[in-house]
Amino acid sequence: MPRHCPDNPPTRLGELRTEAPITRVRSWDGSTPWLITAHEYARAALVSPALSSDTAKSGFPAVGPGDVASGDEQRPGVLLTMDGAEHTRLRRKLIGEFTVRRIEALRPRVEQAVHDLLDALAAGPKPADLVSALALPLPSLVISELLGVPYADHDFFQQRSNDALDTQAGREQTQHALGELVAYLNELVVAKQANPGDDLLSRLLEAGELTPREVAGVGTLLLVAGHETTANQIALGVLTLLRHPEQAGELRATDDPATIRAAVEELLRLLTITQAGARRVAVEDVRIGDVLIKAGEGVIIATNAANRDADVFDRPDDYDQHRAVNRHVAFGFGPHQCLGQPLARLDLQVVHPALLRRFPTMKLAVDSAALSYRDTMPMFGVNELPVTW
């Protein structure tokens, strides 16, 4: 569905949330999955064991040609495509690496990375592209250090990640890019088996509870998801704050962690960059609200529409960093809720106040209408963000 305004999800999603919050839609391949747009029903669908995340199951609603999985496709370690006991087993092995306490211990390193990137931005030319100067390198630096992936290889994995996520491209392109990423992680895992370091991949290998292929799969998933999503969120978050100077000024002036957290949660709710939604296929008949979804039918959960539901959020289309209760589903909900959300939150909590303080006069260097957006990708974002100060 087209966006009539890049600051908001497609208008039709909001209309459907009022008219028919669970309804059939026609997808790119002629299939007719169910689309869920209301917050209440989105949460119900996200926790339902009757709805599978296995992309290889018949009826799964692929985002585009490059997202179509073959029935015999194996993706060891990729939590997003697992269900039930296998998903629980793997997630339990990883959850300790993403506790708030463990991630919070990374704050000094994230702060230093932000400081260094802002120094480089200040010393560079004006105008500057904030995507290439800050939004992309920060999460890449952080996830590389966490996983033990050489940051020197960031151009390689950023390009392969971008190609792998381009579901509108052909399956050959996306699978080739994904295959190169998996091969890269497999080689890295072999190297860490021989010479472990103080990083997540080494710790998983030393624990001996996951196979090397599973560890490589975990690494591939985190490498792709750990920088692409946060990079888009950072750039769009900066754009939103530049358009709300009064609230940006409040964020610049505070060092109160609760205030900063509230601003980040509001940016996550408002932007909800996963514009392709959460996708499932029913493995048994299940009723969501008043609608019976039958086994084999696809389901698309539009989290960006759910996060604009006026029944849950007052003035849902407004940016309000003073929002007291923010039950957004930007990271999903239930058993498949994003494992790396504490890390994403940390990056965002550090980068936004730091940028505002360092560059209090920052503004867009072009007219808003000149910005180009990643509107054909599963994750919404801006291609470039020219700024000056």
Side-chain angles (χ1 to χ4, degrees):
M1 294 179 180
R3 290 178 181 245
H4 296 94
C5 171
D7 294 337
N8 297 311
T11 303
R12 186 60 181 144
L13 286 179
E15 294 170 348
L16 286 174
R17 191 178 52 235
T18 300
E19 300 167 5
I22 307 177
T23 188
R24 293 275 200 177
V25 291
R26 187 171 300 280
S27 192
W28 63 275
D29 59 355
S31 62
T32 55
W34 293 97
L35 178 70
I36 298 177
T37 49
H39 188 274
E40 175 188 359
Y41 300 142
R43 283 168 61 106
L46 288 167
V47 300
S48 174
L51 298 180
S52 170
S53 297
D54 188 345
T55 57
K57 287 188 181 298
S58 177
F60 188 91
V63 180
D67 191 43
V68 178
S70 61
D72 58 353
E73 190 168 290
Q74 297 296 315
R75 298 180 179 178
V78 181
L79 283 164
L80 293 180
T81 63
M82 293 180 176
D83 297 313
E86 185 65 7
H87 174 265
T88 301
R89 177 189 72 86
L90 188 58
R91 191 177 178 97
R92 282 177 177 169
K93 305 302 182 188
L94 297 172
I95 196 69
E97 295 287 344
F98 291 94
T99 62
V100 173
R101 176 179 294 183
R102 182 180 281 274
I103 295 301
E104 188 61 28
L106 297 175
R107 183 175 288 270
R109 179 65 190 100
V110 176
E111 290 174 341
Q112 185 61 52
V114 170
H115 177 79
D116 293 344
L117 289 168
L118 295 183
D119 275 353
L121 180 64
K126 294 188 289 184
D129 172 27
L130 210 66
V131 172
S132 59
L134 179 65
L136 263 176
L138 175 62
S140 294
L141 276 164
V142 173
I143 197 65
S144 295
E145 185 163 321
L146 178 70
L147 292 175
V149 173
Y151 180 68
D153 295 336
H154 70 279
D155 284 339
F156 167 82
F157 65 71
Q158 283 176 3
Q159 185 57 55
R160 299 310 182 278
S161 297
N162 190 68
D163 289 345
L165 289 170
D166 187 0
T167 53
Q168 301 306 309
R171 175 175 167 77
E172 183 177 348
Q173 173 189 301
T174 59
Q175 291 304 304
H176 178 72
L178 185 59
E180 289 194 321
L181 276 174
V182 171
Y184 172 79
L185 265 296
N186 279 328
E187 290 181 10
L188 188 63
V189 164
V190 170
K192 289 183 180 298
Q193 285 180 299
N195 186 24
D198 182 19
D199 55 69
L200 186 149
L201 295 181
S202 295
R203 289 192 293 271
L204 291 177
L205 287 167
E206 289 178 327
E209 296 175 328
L210 301 180
T211 68
R213 287 190 67 201
E214 286 179 324
V215 174
V218 167
T220 302
L221 173 62
L222 294 176
L223 193 61
V224 174
H227 82 270
E228 187 72 26
T229 52
T230 307
N232 287 326
Q233 182 70 32
I234 289 172
L236 289 174
V238 171
L239 181 58
T240 301
L241 290 168
L242 292 179
R243 288 171 170 165
H244 295 84
E246 184 174 334
Q247 294 189 70
E250 294 175 7
L251 188 58
R252 180 187 301 114
T254 188
D255 58 2
D256 174 37
T259 301
I260 295 170
R261 286 196 298 269
V264 166
E265 296 307 309
E266 177 66 351
L267 288 170
L268 287 165
R269 179 199 71 81
L270 187 74
L271 299 172
T272 314
I273 61 169
T274 52
Q275 62 177 357
R279 296 185 175 231
R280 303 287 191 268
V281 60
V283 292
E284 60 184 76
D285 291 359
V286 59
R287 188 171 292 278
I288 304 291
D290 294 329
V291 174
L292 178 64
I293 299 172
K294 296 184 178 181
E297 295 179 341
V299 178
I300 302 172
I301 305 159
T303 51
N304 54 354
N307 280 341
R308 299 291 187 101
D309 192 333
D311 288 341
V312 179
F313 305 102
D314 183 40
R315 296 176 292 106
D317 294 329
D318 292 348
Y319 173 68
D320 180 8
Q321 63 192 29
H322 303 291
R323 201 174 293 278
V325 179
N326 200 334
R327 296 167 54 239
H328 68 74
V329 288
F331 289 115
F333 187 64
H336 280 280
Q337 194 169 17
C338 176
L339 186 69
Q341 59 182 292
L343 185 62
R345 285 186 163 108
L346 174 60
D347 286 348
L348 298 170
Q349 289 166 12
V350 172
V351 71
H352 285 309
L355 178 70
L356 292 171
R357 291 169 192 147
R358 185 67 179 273
F359 300 97
T361 61
M362 181 169 282
K363 61 183 179 180
L364 276 178
V366 298
D367 188 272
S368 291
L371 296 174
S372 65
Y373 293 86
R374 298 164 60 86
D375 53 4
T376 63
M377 301 289 280
M379 287 173 289
F380 189 63
V382 62
N383 290 312
E384 294 180 343
L385 188 62
V387 295
T388 191
W389 53 93

